[in-house]
Amino acid sequence: MTSEAASGAVEVVLYHLSDEPDPVLDAYHEASRRMAGTVGLLGNKLLHTLGEPSGYVVVSRWSGWEAFTAWEKGAAHKEQTAPLRQFRDTGRDRPFEIYRELAHYPAEPAHVTEGA
């Protein structure tokens, strides 16, 4: 188990809505290209909500709170995320959530038996 003190990772979840998946996917790829090389950004992913056909979330993983807030307050933030902004789910009280990792277990490697 890894503790928060060791990792301090932060995940940001942004909620989006669209009846058409292709424009969301295109916007996600463009925003991701714009964010390439951002200090502290460990990666991001686009997920489609199975229970809501028009629902999408973008989850970005950051090295820590300080890296995320430095980026968020920086001049490049709004330009980098602009492609996705039109899809933001404004029907929610907050169209995003921020989570700090408290603990995690890394995946165990799969064991392969010889002759299988």
Side-chain angles (χ1 to χ4, degrees):
M1 181 170 83
T2 303
S3 70
E4 180 272 329
S7 70
V10 172
E11 291 196 6
V12 180
V13 179
L14 289 119
Y15 300 96
H16 298 83
L17 290 173
S18 177
D19 291 330
E20 297 294 324
D22 290 342
V24 176
L25 193 57
D26 292 344
Y28 166 75
H29 287 305
E30 178 59 28
S32 294
R33 280 190 288 277
R34 292 179 184 193
M35 293 185 69
T38 298
V39 174
L41 179 63
L42 302 176
N44 65 64
K45 57 188 167 187
L46 173 66
L47 305 173
H48 188 211
T49 309
L50 292 178
E52 171 57 56
S54 64
Y56 301 85
V57 294
V58 173
V59 180
S60 59
R61 185 165 177 81
W62 296 84
S63 60
W65 177 249
E66 295 76 19
F68 170 71
T69 57
W71 168 78
E72 187 179 42
K73 293 175 184 176
H77 167 230
K78 294 207 183 285
E79 184 273 329
Q80 290 172 320
T81 60
L84 279 165
R85 197 162 294 118
Q86 65 181 314
F87 302 108
R88 185 94 22 105
D89 183 354
T90 58
R92 294 175 168 268
D93 289 338
R94 289 171 33 130
F96 66 92
E97 290 295 338
I98 302 171
Y99 300 91
R100 180 182 301 275
E101 181 177 290
L102 297 180
H104 77 270
Y105 289 85
E108 299 267 340
H111 296 285
V112 177
T113 57
E114 290 186 34

